[in-house]
Structures are given as C-alpha cells and as structure tokens.
C-alpha cells in the first residue's frame, strides 16, 4: 500500500485503454475468422492491429514487472496476468479490474456484492464464450465429420457448454477444438459456482436481516 | 414509502387482475399455437383477446410510469417491468409480486424464506418452461431436420433444458428457437442456483439451531 | 408434543415394519418387471404380496389420519405421506424418518448434519433411481425407436439423469417414460442442491472453526 | 492424539513415498494400456512394478492396522483407505493427506481454506479423470458400437463427464465402462459441490468483512 503507489497509479491509468485494446483485439480476430473472403490487404491490416494490441499488452506487463521489483516472483504472484499476456483472448477474465477502475472514476460502487458477482460472471461468460466460439469455429471449420457448419452453430455450442447443458448436437471433433472446449467447461463450472454461490449467500443475508437475529425463524410470537 | 403511496396502491389493486390477464394471454397463445385447424373466426378472437391483454399491460406500465414521476429513470429502475411489457410471455417472472399480493390479502405470510424461494422457482420454472416450449414449438414446427414433431416433444425439451440435463435427443435447429433456448438455459442456471442456494442456507440455519451455538455462529445479542 | 403422543407412538412402532414392507414392495415389482417368463402362479404371488404391502400403507395412513384428528387438513399437512400412499414406489423418499427411527433405537445420532444430509441424499437417490429405472424400463420395453434394450440400459439412463450429466445415448421415448423422467430430473436437481448445499455449509463451519476469529467471524466465547 | 503418536509418525514418514509409488503405479498402468505393441519383456516389467507398488500399499495398510490396534473397527474407521488398497487407481483421492504432509515439511500452510478446497478438487479431478479414462479406454477399446477410438476420445469423455456437461458424442457402451462412468459422475457431482460450496462460503466471508457487521453477521470487535 505504501511503496507500490507507482504501480497502482500505472494500473489505474492503463486499465481502461488496455480494456479497449483487448476489445479491438477480439473484434479484429472476429473479422479474421469470419470474413474469409476479405481482400488480403484488409486482412493484413487486421493482423497488424492485433499485433499492435498484443504489443501493448506485453509492454504493460513488462512495465508492471519492472515497477513491482519482485523479479521472477512477479510471475507467480500475477499468474492470471501472465496467462493473459500469452493468450490475449482470455483478457475478458480481467473484467473485474476494469469494472473497478470504471467505478473508481464514477465515485463509490453502487452495486451490492451479489449484484457485482453476477455482473462479473455474466460479462465474463459472454466475452469468453464469444472468444472460444471464434477460436473453435476457426479450428473446426471444414474438419471431417464436424456438425459445426456456421458461426451460429459455434455460438450455440458455446452456450450449451457454459451452462453445462451439453446437448451434444454440435461438438468439437478436432484436438485443438476439444482443448478449448475443456477450458470453457471449467469456466462453466466456475460460472455455475458464482451464480449459485452468490444466490446462496444473498439468501442467507436476506434471511438474517428479515428474521431479526439468531437462529430461528421469525421471532416467537408471545 | 411516504410519497409513493398512490403508486403502491395502484400496484396492489392491479397485481391480481393483471396476473389473470397474463394467464389468459398465455392460454390464448397456447390455443393459437396448438389448435392450427381452428376456424379463422376463433383464431381472430384469440388474437383479439391477446391484444387486449397486452394493451392492459401497456396501460399499467404507462400509469405506473406516470405515478412514479421519474421520467426516463423509470425504465432503468424497472428493468424487469420494461422487458415484460415488450415480451408478455415473460410475465411469469413477476410471480413473486403476485404471490406477495395474494399473501397480503390473506394475512401475513406463512412460508419460511426457503419455502418461498423454492415455490417461486418452481412456479416460475413451470410457467416459463411452458411459454418457451410453445414459442419454440411454433418456430421449429416443420423446420427441416428438426426432431420436435409434437408439442409433447417441445415440453420434454424444455424440461431437459431447465434442469441442465440436456439429453440432446430433441433440440431446436432454427435461429429463433435457439435464441429462446439460450434464455431458457440461463433461467435453468438461475433455477439451479435458487434451489441449491436455498437448500444450502436452510441447512446452515438448521445446523446452527440444532447445535445450540457451538463454535461458529454468532452469539445471541442480549 | 403434548397431545399427539399416541400418534408419534404409532409412527415410531410402525416405521421400521413399513420400511421393510416398502422394500418388499420394490423387490416384488422388480421381479414382476424383470422376470417376464416366470410361471403365472409365481407372478400372481408377487402381485398379491404387492397388494398386501400397499394395503398396509393404506391402513397406516388411515390410522394416522384418525389419530391426528385433523380431518381433511391432514392431507394438506402430510402432503408427502399422501403422495406416497398413491405411488408406493416413492416411499424411499421417507428414508429420513426411517433413519431417525433406527437412530432412536440405537441411542442418540452419531452423524453430523452434513453426513446425514449426504447419507439421505445418497440412499434416496439409489432407491428412487432403481424404482424409476424399473418403471421406465417397463414402459419403454419394446416401444418403437427406443434405445433401452436391457435393464442395464435403464439403470445407466437413471444414473446419467440423476447426476444431470444427460448423455442422451439412452432416453425414454414414450409419454409415460418421459413423465417419470421429468420427476427423476427434478430429484436430480434437489440431490445436487443437497450435495452442494451441505458441502458449502460444512466448509463455512470448518472455516469459522479453523481460523479462530480472523477478521470477520464470531469472537471466541470465553 | 496421545497414544496414536506412533501411527501418526508412520503416516507422516510414508505419505510422500507412497504418493510417489501411486504415481508410478498410474504411469505403469498408462504404459500397459496405451503401449499395446511394447515387447512382452517390457510389459512384464511394468506389471512387476505395478505389483510392487501395490504390495507397498498393502504393507502400509497392514502396518497402520497393526499400529491402530482397533481390530476390525479399523476397516470401518478407515473406509477410504480400505477402498484405496483394493482399487489403487483411486489413490489420488488421498491427495489431501499428501498435500498436508508436504505443507508440514515446508512450514505452515499458506493457502486459505477456499484455495485449498479448489486445489484439492482440481488435482483430484485431473488424476481421477486420467485414471478413469485409462480404465474405460482399456475396457471399451474394440467393443462393438463404441465411439471411443483413441485415448484422446477417452480423455474428452472424462472431461465432459466430470463437469456434468455430458455431450454424449462419446459414451461407454460396455458394462464395465459404464460402472466406472457412474463412479466418475458421482465424483463430478462432488467436484461441483466443492467448487460451488467454496465459492459460496468465500463470498459470504468477503461480504461480512466488507460490510462491517450489517444486520446479522458477527459484532465488530472493539
């Protein structure tokens, strides 16, 4: 809290621009995957923008490493950051920090803990599902024996996976697609945990507020 | 509490008639979807009843907006109400308010928090599943490659989706049907959260009651 | 507690014999469903035993109604009992009462709340899954287009349903089978809620015990 | 605590070597299952190593039985240990004890309860999923009508089962494979419970810390 002020200052200033950069990164990736018949020049432009965004992420990571002054321990204490630099499509996982940065600008946070958890889970799920659907669609397209013919199929698959419904009418068949799918399933589990967990604790809180105190139902009618 | 009395009065008086109107709306929609070979005159009658019910919802929304005196902020603070006016099939989601209105007429509520949560989840799930099954059946009927041949299939699909079992023997294949399905899956997640959450907090409560206040709960404030 | 003593006495005395009778009922039903090529005389015997067991359940229900002295309100306050008389295959749902009767005979209960919840959930799931697999197998056997060829398939289906995994390689296709399946899915949801809920509250308890009173839990009582 | 010191000493000394032995056991089993065209001599070597590891487990079990001095009650109070001796592939379930032994060597534990629960769940899920995938692949390989052609398919099946997604594109069809699958499904349920439970209790804790002591949590220490 005392010495890391330059680090937190840096993080507060860069959080929002980097979030925008990661949205641009995602959008460019979507264009590359979905608009196959784009002229080569445009495709090159998209790739260049993606590279630039990724360079920004790398620079940010480097600066924070420097400011942290922890050496190799930085990698261990910032696991999520390290993974996110290598796989920029996972940046939506940092949505919590972005949200907090936005809130700080607009004054104190208004939402209760449960509303925040559900908001985070929802936004993370939507962005991550979209990114995974793009990546899986790119890998599965044209694979022999696949049922994933359009990007709509890929989105449908991502939804059934994240909610752990798993119809199985559209499934990845390539090794790469399955690896991504396993990651998305794990996220689906965590999402389920977030929703049920926050609902559960909200209930407990409502209950303890409603029934006055200790450990029974409504106070005994005398 | 002090100035909104006219608003709450209006809500208390209209809640039950509007709930009836939404059941009639759902019934008419069911007739339109399921009884395809009804004479055109009857079908027109059903459509007219639906339009009337929807007009009632719109009038109610307008009156409450007026009484609230908040201008555009009303839309933000009454998100669920706004969505429900546009998509009247989602009105079952307001079951909580209806239930509270019924309870108010019959005296104080009898059910514990957990019983209420499970009742709400159950009624919401049944009504919403029925409405979604109708809408999806209407969209899927006759689509090429669909397995949803009868309304029974649609109901079966809705049950497997709400419980997140997801066999996949009957799945929507049209874009519209899939969009509705994604909404139903999200509701399935929330339903699961409600059931597990209320069960969990009920357990904690039973435990703290049973074991006196053993080693982990708060002492009774005297 | 004061006036219902004859009722509770009756319940304590009959609980175990009735539990045995319901196991016999289930076993006879299993014989009738699985041993199709049994001589008619044996099959009649099984049916007679089932009828006798059911008569015992009905007599017990009648006696308790009488002892309760509540008239028609008895049906409302004993919903589970009433359902179980009509559908004796659901008797495993009363396992909690049986367990408590057994514990009363052997002294005070030993298990913690969480162990009891998990035991109840497990035994209920096994018995109910077995009963549902029998009933569904009986209905599906020989239905056109079914994949449920052996009783092993039916058990496999029951397991995938109760855990909400839902592969969909074996699914009921008849209306009766699907109705039973929906009931089993709802039980799967409740089972999931029981497991996650008891795990969650056990964790909370362990945590508050372990960490003394770290930063937010109750102060130690001295 | 007082008399069992020799037992706990034994357990602390043998825990880590036995964990290594169980990893070797798993690795040898993997070699036997996956490398079908290995020369017979090498396969015999693998089998010998497996037998040795199993003998170590049996000796450890015997020694602890002896030291416990409880006679047959040992089997009842060490249910997990007894199962693990008979089915050495289930040894990953003991990962909690191994972890605690490692922590004891390196000083006090650093992780919070929730981090520990999620770590245990994760490591258990990965090891158990791998062991089950091996066993199911061994049983299913070449079975008529199976879709499990490669070990990758088996791993993919294990992932979809543990997360209760259950696509159903790859499912076991043999009786043995299905029995193992039912065990894995039960573990998936427990894993789900662990994740949602720990998330839920973490949320409650964060909440009570954040909001001071609002209306039902512990009183503030002055």
């Amino acid at each position: 809290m005392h010495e890391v002020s330059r680090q937190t200052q840096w993080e507060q200033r860069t959080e929002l621009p980097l979030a925008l950069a990661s949205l641009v990164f995602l959008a460019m990736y979507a264009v590359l995957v979905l608009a196959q018949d784009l002229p080569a020049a445009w495709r090159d432009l998209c790739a260049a923008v993606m590279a630039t965004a990724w360079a920004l992420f790398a620079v940010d990571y480097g600066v924070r490493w420097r400011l942290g002054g922890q050496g190799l321990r930085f990698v261990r204490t910032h696991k999520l950051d390290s993974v996110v630099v290598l796989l920029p499509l996972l940046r939506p996982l940092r949505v919590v920090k972005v949200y907090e940065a936005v809130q700080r600008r607009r004054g104190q946070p208004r939402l209760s803990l449960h509303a925040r958890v559900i908001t985070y889970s929802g936004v993370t799920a939507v962005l991550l599902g979209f990114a995974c659907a793009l990546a899986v669609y790119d890998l599965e397209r044209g694979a022999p024996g696949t049922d994933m013919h359009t990007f709509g199929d890929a989105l449908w698959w991502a939804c059934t996976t994240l909610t752990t419904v798993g119809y199985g009418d559209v499934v990845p068949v390539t090794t790469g697609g399955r690896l991504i799918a396993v990651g998305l399933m794990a996220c689906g589990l965590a999402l389920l945990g977030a929703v049920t967990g926050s609902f559960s604790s909200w209930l407990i809180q409502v209950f303890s507020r409603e029934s006055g105190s200790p450990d029974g139902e409504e106070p005994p009618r005398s």
Side-chain angles (χ1 to χ4, degrees), chain A residues 196-210:
Chain A
T196 60
S198 61
F199 201 94
S200 160
S201 63
W202 173 76
L203 267 181
I204 293 172
Q205 182 192 340
V206 165
F207 179 81
S208 62
R209 189 182 301 159
E210 198 166 78

Side-chain angles (χ1 to χ4, degrees), chain A residues 11-146:
Chain A
E11 281 182 19
Q12 285 182 21
R13 282 212 195 122
T14 56
E15 199 60 66
L16 280 189
L18 284 176
L20 281 181
S22 71
L23 281 185
V24 168
F25 186 91
L26 189 54
M28 290 300 111
Y29 184 58
V31 169
L32 278 186
V33 169
L34 298 181
Q36 294 275 315
D37 46 357
L38 214 64
W42 285 98
R43 294 182 65 82
D44 290 351
L45 180 66
C46 288
V49 172
M50 280 178 74
T52 314
W54 187 82
L56 286 179
F57 302 151
V59 165
D60 167 64
Y61 186 72
V63 169
R64 283 196 290 150
W65 190 331
R66 213 60 192 300
L67 289 174
Q70 295 177 308
L72 273 174
R73 260 188 57 206
F74 183 82
V75 179
R76 233 193 309 148
T77 53
H78 291 71
K79 283 196 202 87
L80 183 58
D81 291 343
S82 311
V83 169
V84 152
V85 165
L86 292 178
L87 298 169
L89 282 179
L90 290 179
R91 276 193 88 85
L93 287 175
R94 293 197 60 198
V95 72
V96 177
K97 291 208 170 170
V98 175
Y99 179 83
E100 275 165 10
V102 172
Q103 284 292 350
R104 216 176 290 119
R105 299 220 172 163
R106 287 170 51 188
Q108 83 278 27
R110 285 279 173 75
L111 291 170
S112 75
L113 179 70
H114 309 113
R116 257 182 294 153
V117 169
I118 290 181
T119 308
Y120 294 165
S121 313
V123 174
T124 311
V126 168
L127 288 180
L128 210 62
F130 184 72
C132 283
L134 276 175
V136 168
Y137 178 58
D138 199 24
L139 287 165
E140 293 285 315
R141 185 168 34 192
T146 187

